Each structure stands twice: as C-alpha cells, then as structure tokens.
C-alpha cells in the first residue's frame, strides 16, 4: 500500500505520463507494469516505459515530483507498505 504524499489517500497505482498517459501498477507478485492507454478505449500492457516519466496521484491529480523520472522510486513507492521504515 502506498499513500499519496499530497492528499494522503491510499493509492494502488499511479498515473504516469510521457508521450502518453499510462497507469503504473504492481501485480500480486510485486511486478511493476504499465497499462498504456491507446485511443478508442484500448490499452496495452508493458513492463517498462520510457525513462522520462512524470507520475501523479490518481485521486488528487497532483504530480508527485519526488518520483519524477525515477521509475525505481515510483515502484518502490507503490510497494511502500512493505517497508516499515521511512526512506529518504
Ligand atoms: Zn493524492
């Protein structure tokens, strides 16, 4: 579980943007994946995205700037609850 640093709501995915909007989620195996939204309501699943990414909270729509362009950090953030100690 992860909590948005802006609005404090528990979130299980992040909106991710590069050229397109996608959703970054973690599956039950702890594996990160993106669902890339394509036109016509279709989506495509991919393991990694381009490394120039910005991430935003799906609830308050604010960009989590501390995660920008850092996929590893974004994944770690989503896995958040597993680490009980706060990381800097
Ligand atoms: Zn938020």
């Amino acid at each position: 579980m992860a909590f948005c640093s802006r609005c404090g709501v528990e979130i299980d995915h992040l909106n991710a943007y590069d050229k397109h909007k996608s959703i970054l989620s973690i599956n039950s195996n702890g594996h990160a994946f993106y669902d890339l939204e394509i036109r016509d309501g279709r989506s495509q699943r991919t393991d990694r995205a381009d490394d120039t990414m910005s991430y935003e909270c799906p609830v308050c729509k604010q960009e989590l700037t501390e995660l920008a362009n850092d996929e590893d950090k974004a994944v770690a953030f989503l896995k958040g609850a597993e680490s009980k100690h706060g990381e800097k």
Side-chain angles (χ1 to χ4, degrees):
M1 285 180 285
F3 295 89
C4 172
S5 60
R6 300 297 188 274
C7 67
V9 167
E10 183 182 333
I11 51 180
D12 63 357
H13 67 278
L14 291 165
N15 292 342
Y17 294 92
D18 52 359
K19 298 187 200 71
H20 308 281
K21 180 188 175 188
S22 58
I23 308 284
L24 174 63
S25 308
I26 309 278
N27 70 13
S28 55
N29 296 322
H31 182 75
F33 61 89
Y34 289 90
D35 278 321
L36 178 64
E37 290 186 358
I38 307 177
R39 294 179 192 203
D40 307 324
R42 294 165 52 211
S43 68
Q44 180 182 355
R45 184 157 292 190
T46 178
D47 280 350
R48 306 284 287 194
D50 293 343
D51 54 2
T52 51
M53 273 289 191
S54 56
Y55 298 97
E56 74 172 28
C57 171
V59 178
C60 66
K61 311 287 191 198
Q62 294 194 69
E63 184 182 352
L64 304 182
T65 51
E66 67 271 31
L67 305 177
N69 303 326
D70 194 336
E71 182 178 22
D72 290 338
K73 212 178 206 180
V75 170
F77 169 78
L78 282 174
K79 293 180 179 177
E82 292 174 24
S83 62
K84 306 226 164 159
H85 304 286
E87 288 182 38
K88 292 205 170 164

